[in-house]
Amino acid sequence: MNTTVTTTGMWKGGRSPFNVEYGKLMMWYFLMSDAFTFGAFLIAYGTTRFATNGWPDPNTVFRTYPFGGETHAPLVFVSIMTFILIISSVTMVLAVHEGHAMNKKGVAKYMVLTILGGLAFLGCQAWEWTHLYHEGAWWGRNPFPNADGTISTTNFTNFFFTITGFHGFHVFSGVIINCIMLIMVLRGVFERRGHYLMIEKAGLYWHFVDLVWVFVFTCFYLI
Amino acid sequence: MDHSIESLAEERHAGGGVKEIWRVTIILSVLTIVELALGFSMIGMDEQSLKRHIIKGIIVILMLAKAFYIVAYFMHLKHELRNMIMTIVVPLCLFIWFISAFLADGNSFKNYKNKWDRNHLEHSKEKMPVQEEGTHHLE
């Protein structure tokens, strides 16, 4: 049997030509459209930044961490947040992996760890937002000067709160989805169904949230 | 129908398993640490210096590398069928055009505004009054 025969056979119907379950394929297309939404936000931010004289220096804006007082520790807190999200992504992959092995206990364990990671990230973000709010930053208010000491525009805070807020909302909904998955795992729904494909779909969403953070983190905190 | 879904779940075992997961985890951590080190090295560097722009460029490349590892291994896209990968990746290529066009547009808008709106240029050179410690805290 040569390749042409197999390829045409795949598109003859009766099976998925992409060898992917319908729900999972649609999750991929949803994530692609979501990537365009986030991309539009980040490109709007980049365009505005390129069109503005001067911009606040992230290292002077994001320089504190909880219980640290007014210390000057740029990047420390946000790097902790980044690692929390990476680790929770890893535990999610491990949950999917346990799902392949039909190991209910393993899936449940790693789902719990993933949810904890998500909650830890949300806690960090809540702290950071509160801290910035008390420094006078919010939508429409920007207490931070540009890097060269000149007056900055409110675009900086507007974009920061809108984009990290939109990402935080994705993390929040991801945690909710993971909680539902955990309950379904514990009730043995997937075991009866014979496969843990649903965990893979939730996993795709969760990895996407981590993926977006890679971009948000770079665009707002590093460069 | 149910049977075909199960067979799909069975078929999709390609990939390196737990070993690959830990390998990718280490790669992602190392890339993040390098990014942070570069971020720290930029502190105090002149805003418009060439060196700073080069470091920013390297950080963006590392960011794309991280994105690749997450999508390819954690999201398992690398092990899907080629046709399926293409339906996801090809539309995303639009971003190459979006980013270059919009950033160039923003930059040229700034240059024109500085050139023809002298008032705007003068205003953007005003220093921000230094706030006394504690005054910017909300009551």
Side-chain angles (χ1 to χ4, degrees), chain B residues 55-97:
Chain B
I55 292 178
K56 283 183 178 181
I58 296 171
I59 289 177
V60 169
I61 291 166
L62 292 176
M63 169 185 85
L64 294 175
K66 276 169 78 177
F68 168 78
Y69 277 104
I70 292 173
V71 175
Y73 295 101
F74 282 4
M75 297 172 89
H76 221 265
L77 191 60
K78 200 168 190 268
H79 303 301
E80 304 290 356
L81 282 184
R82 194 183 151 80
N83 281 335
M84 193 255 173
I85 298 174
M86 287 305 149
T87 61
I88 307 289
V89 173
V90 172
L92 291 177
C93 288
L94 278 169
F95 272 124
I96 299 169
W97 164 247

Side-chain angles (χ1 to χ4, degrees), chain B residues 42-131:
Chain B
M42 281 201 297
I43 296 173
M45 213 177 267
D46 179 40
E47 271 296 302
Q48 293 305 325
S49 67
L50 181 68
K51 206 174 155 197
R52 198 183 175 102
H53 287 304
I54 290 171
I55 292 178
K56 283 183 178 181
I58 296 171
I59 289 177
V60 169
I61 291 166
L62 292 176
M63 169 185 85
L64 294 175
K66 276 169 78 177
F68 168 78
Y69 277 104
I70 292 173
V71 175
Y73 295 101
F74 282 4
M75 297 172 89
H76 221 265
L77 191 60
K78 200 168 190 268
H79 303 301
E80 304 290 356
L81 282 184
R82 194 183 151 80
N83 281 335
M84 193 255 173
I85 298 174
M86 287 305 149
T87 61
I88 307 289
V89 173
V90 172
L92 291 177
C93 288
L94 278 169
F95 272 124
I96 299 169
W97 164 247
F98 287 158
I99 293 168
S100 38
F102 276 89
L103 293 190
D105 204 33
N107 198 42
S108 104
F109 178 75
K110 175 176 76 181
N111 292 337
Y112 279 127
K113 206 166 183 196
N114 285 340
K115 190 176 176 188
W116 300 110
D117 188 350
R118 307 306 291 186
N119 185 38
H120 168 76
L121 185 63
E122 289 308 311
H123 180 70
S124 67
K125 280 180 185 160
E126 279 171 34
K127 294 278 177 190
M128 193 163 183
V130 182
Q131 281 171 322

Side-chain angles (χ1 to χ4, degrees), chain A residues 6-7 9-22 24-26 28-29, chain B residues 8 11-12 76-77 79-88:
Chain A
T6 344
T7 326
M10 286 185 85
W11 293 90
K12 272 185 174 168
R15 61 173 298 185
S16 159
F18 288 159
N19 202 23
V20 172
E21 186 225 353
Y22 174 81
K24 198 167 153 188
L25 187 65
M26 290 306 122
W28 266 109
Y29 292 144
Chain B
L8 282 179
E11 276 172 49
R12 296 191 46 271
H76 221 265
L77 191 60
H79 303 301
E80 304 290 356
L81 282 184
R82 194 183 151 80
N83 281 335
M84 193 255 173
I85 298 174
M86 287 305 149
T87 61
I88 307 289

